[in-house]
Amino acid sequence: MSNQMPNVARRVGVITVRVLVYILLWAGLVLLFAGIGIRVFFGKISVGQMLLNLVSVQTDGGGGPLVWIGILLIVVLPLLVIAGIAFWHRSRLRKRRAGGGRTRNSLWIRRSISGVLVAAVVVSGTTAFSSTVGLADYIKAGNSNYDVDDYYVEPTITSDQDKRNLVLIYLESGEATLADDQLFEKDAFAPLEKATQAADGWQSVDEFQQYEGGGWTMAGISSTQCGVPLKGTGSVLGSGNLNELGSDVGSYLGGLTCLGDVLDKHGYNSTFLGGANGNFAAKDTFLEGHGYSTVKGLSDWRAAGDPAKSFRSDWGLSDKRLLEHARDEIDQLHAQSEKTGQPFNLSMLTLDTHEPAHIYDYCDVDTQEVVTSMFFCSMTQVAGFVDYMKEKGYLEDTAVVIMGDHLKHMGGGDAFHKQLDNNDNRTIFNRIWIPGEDKKSALRPRVDQLNMYPTLLEAAGLKVQNHEAGLGVSAFSPTVPDDSAQALEPGDYKELLNSRSARFYAKAWAGSNPAQ
């Protein structure tokens, strides 16, 4: 018995070490494949984007194949590799025993090499993943002395006597850089530029910026409608509101007063139209929780009987059909508004320009790079809707704001790396129409998406105290208050936007007003 005890202990120790080695190897492979996958499909992202967006990808109208690719990369492939190594190792043991074993020196060398390889996989995986999601920046942000709470301004409406209808169009990946026909085969925005010319009274924010830390659809929508960076890390994890974020959350930044909330308080009827699944990234929860009475998405268009050729399997309804529905919607909303005196807000989000490229039968590809034609065709549809509003006379009493939801994604498999990777002047496309206004006054240039919140309120004809809402100051104001976040030095402003601001977001996600 005494002789057996050391052998048993040794065997338990060997098994324990092997299990730990396999666990480390599995973790390293998961991190490595996740890092590679994110780089290929999304490019470099943030921890916040990962938590708030990637977890919400859905098989139907919300990324489609990405779900299965993610499962294969992060779940199946690492397990297959581990199983293969375990099988190989077991075969080697059997051969060694059959051949009389090896010397201690050869065993030590083999185990040393195996240990180095496992360590290399773990280090490589950790490095690849952390650099892809900006883990170092995330840790640094936790030590920042800045807090959004110190600069957040609850919007105060001093008058709504001049309120007007509002049409808000988000262009998927609507980066203005693609209008440069010196960089690209042709100006991808030409049709929309023709429909929104400055000579006709359209305005734009020169060099409109994506906010620091943004870069995905819900970040673009929430930042322009709530005036703060979209964050869910830390505070949300602690509050329980990140429960399967993207599908079934009770509220989405419920403590904040956003565009739809303000418009609802002042009698607006708000409607949102999108081609994708409304559940994707909890978009419907955000909109319905912030003043939108009607939110239509993929399931609605299917129920309406749209033909199969109008859908792309990975995301949803084509822009052509979406904007045809938008014509019917604005006809009804405008007629109702004239009858009741109640203004409306019609918001929508295009879809065609989301990569990978999908070309519908109404789009003629006349460029070597298919994505350029894809953008051109989408802008043609949006331009057609603008022309329709003009023909119907809606522009006489309706403000229109058109803007990209974010810069174009630059995943490893996406187009235009040569033109955009080292381009230091990437901006977001935007056009603004204000009926009956003097169009000679220029909008404040180089504002970011957070400033669009008060800009939208003022576009709707509401008077905003000090032109401030959230962290933003309306682009219609040539100056900013001295105590505004917009008055900070660029480096300090960047640190503020990157800060976790756990106290502020804990309140916002829990449904408590951070300003109180």
Side-chain angles (χ1 to χ4, degrees):
M1 178 68 70
S2 59
N3 291 332
Q4 291 179 347
M5 288 299 292
N7 292 331
V8 172
R10 190 183 307 113
R11 185 167 182 78
V12 170
V14 170
I15 292 173
T16 301
V17 169
R18 286 179 182 170
V19 170
L20 289 174
V21 167
Y22 281 124
I23 290 174
L24 286 173
L25 185 58
W26 170 81
L29 289 171
V30 167
L31 292 173
L32 179 61
F33 294 150
I36 293 172
I38 292 171
R39 285 275 187 177
V40 169
F41 293 105
F42 302 98
K44 190 175 181 179
I45 64 172
S46 66
V47 172
Q49 181 177 355
M50 177 183 66
L51 292 176
L52 287 168
N53 197 10
L54 296 183
V55 296
S56 64
V57 175
Q58 299 177 12
T59 56
D60 188 23
L66 288 179
V67 177
W68 305 115
I69 292 172
I71 291 172
L72 286 173
L73 271 179
I74 302 173
V75 180
V76 177
L77 189 55
L79 291 176
L80 287 176
V81 172
I82 294 294
I85 292 173
F87 178 79
W88 174 83
H89 183 258
R90 188 172 182 82
S91 298
R92 297 280 295 181
L93 281 176
R94 287 176 178 174
K95 289 181 180 180
R96 191 181 72 192
R97 288 167 182 165
R102 292 190 178 187
T103 64
R104 284 190 176 181
N105 285 340
S106 65
L107 285 174
W108 182 85
I109 292 172
R110 184 171 59 81
R111 288 172 179 172
S112 297
I113 293 174
S114 298
V116 170
L117 290 176
V118 170
V121 170
V122 173
V123 172
S124 299
T126 303
T127 302
F129 183 76
S130 62
S131 63
T132 297
V133 302
L135 189 59
D137 293 334
Y138 176 76
I139 294 172
K140 181 180 178 181
N143 298 319
S144 174
N145 292 323
Y146 283 91
D147 196 299
V148 169
D149 199 17
D150 297 328
Y151 293 90
Y152 178 78
V153 175
E154 183 84 2
T156 299
I157 306 302
T158 58
S159 173
D160 67 356
Q161 291 184 354
D162 299 320
K163 61 186 178 183
R164 58 176 73 94
N165 304 321
L166 174 67
V167 170
L168 173 56
I169 305 175
Y170 290 101
L171 308 175
E172 170 60 45
S173 304
E175 178 167 346
T177 320
L178 275 69
D180 188 345
D181 57 10
Q182 299 300 308
L183 283 177
F184 303 93
E185 295 173 74
K186 65 178 181 179
D187 179 352
F189 286 93
L192 189 50
E193 289 169 331
K194 183 179 179 181
T196 58
Q197 296 183 55
D200 295 330
W202 288 83
Q203 298 173 276
S204 63
V205 173
D206 289 339
E207 299 184 70
F208 181 38
Q209 304 289 306
Q210 178 176 286
Y211 79 84
E212 178 69 28
W216 69 100
T217 295
M218 277 309 298
I221 292 177
S222 63
S223 65
T224 55
Q225 296 201 22
C226 304
V228 298
L230 177 57
K231 295 181 185 292
T233 54
S235 59
V236 183
L237 290 172
S239 69
N241 280 310
L242 194 58
N243 247 350
E244 298 179 11
L245 187 59
S247 52
D248 298 318
V249 289
S251 66
Y252 197 116
L253 294 175
L256 299 183
T257 301
C258 300
L259 174 69
D261 300 309
V262 177
L263 297 182
D264 182 56
K265 184 177 180 180
H266 290 271
Y268 280 74
N269 174 19
S270 291
T271 296
F272 180 89
L273 308 180
N277 191 327
N279 288 334
F280 176 67
K283 184 164 62 256
D284 54 357
T285 303
F286 169 78
L287 295 166
E288 290 167 357
H290 289 287
Y292 282 78
S293 57
T294 302
V295 177
K296 295 182 179 180
L298 179 58
S299 60
D300 298 285
W301 312 132
R302 283 177 173 163
D306 278 286
K309 68 176 184 178
S310 295
F311 296 91
R312 52 186 291 184
S313 60
D314 54 350
W315 286 106
L317 189 70
S318 71
D319 289 347
K320 184 176 188 295
R321 284 299 296 147
L322 178 70
L323 289 161
E324 286 172 350
H325 284 296
R327 294 185 185 197
D328 295 336
E329 197 72 38
I330 197 171
D331 285 344
Q332 296 173 22
L333 289 171
H334 198 275
Q336 182 182 8
S337 177
E338 288 187 322
K339 182 178 180 180
T340 65
Q342 179 186 22
F344 66 84
N345 158 36
L346 174 60
S347 300
M348 62 191 84
L349 169 65
T350 64
L351 190 63
D352 285 9
T353 48
H354 198 300
E355 290 195 65
H358 180 94
I359 302 299
Y360 291 95
D361 57 6
Y362 57 80
C363 181
D364 294 325
V365 177
D366 58 2
T367 54
Q368 201 168 24
E369 177 54 70
V370 175
V371 175
T372 304
S373 292
M374 178 179 74
F375 267 85
F376 190 92
C377 292
S378 176
M379 297 311 119
T380 300
Q381 304 307 314
V382 179
F385 181 71
V386 171
D387 290 339
Y388 179 78
M389 288 191 290
K390 182 178 180 179
E391 293 167 5
K392 297 287 287 188
Y394 297 155
L395 295 185
E396 296 176 9
D397 59 9
T398 301
V400 181
V401 178
I402 305 170
M403 59 180 162
D405 60 348
H406 52 73
L407 297 176
K408 184 184 176 300
H409 282 152
M410 294 308 297
D414 291 339
F416 306 141
H417 282 278
K418 180 181 177 181
Q419 297 91 335
L420 298 177
D421 278 350
N422 298 310
N423 192 319
D424 57 1
N425 192 33
R426 299 179 62 185
T427 59
I428 298 175
F429 183 90
N430 70 102
R431 289 292 187 272
I432 298 176
W433 168 266
I434 306 297
E437 291 286 318
D438 179 3
K439 307 300 191 302
K440 294 180 181 180
S441 58
L443 298 173
R444 198 170 77 256
R446 290 193 62 80
V447 303
D448 67 12
Q449 292 169 300
L450 308 183
N451 294 275
M452 196 55 71
Y453 176 25
T455 304
L456 290 171
L457 291 173
E458 294 192 340
L462 304 179
K463 304 297 182 184
V464 184
Q465 184 172 302
N466 295 327
H467 308 284
E468 291 185 282
L471 298 183
V473 177
S474 172
F476 291 110
S477 174
T479 59
V480 300
D482 292 337
D483 59 350
S484 166
Q486 301 305 315
L488 291 171
E489 292 297 321
D492 295 329
Y493 182 61
K494 179 179 179 180
E495 184 177 346
L496 171 64
L497 299 192
N498 284 331
S499 68
R500 288 195 208 168
S501 303
R503 180 182 59 203
F504 177 87
Y505 287 100
K507 287 184 177 180
W509 283 100
S512 302
N513 189 337
Q516 295 178 350

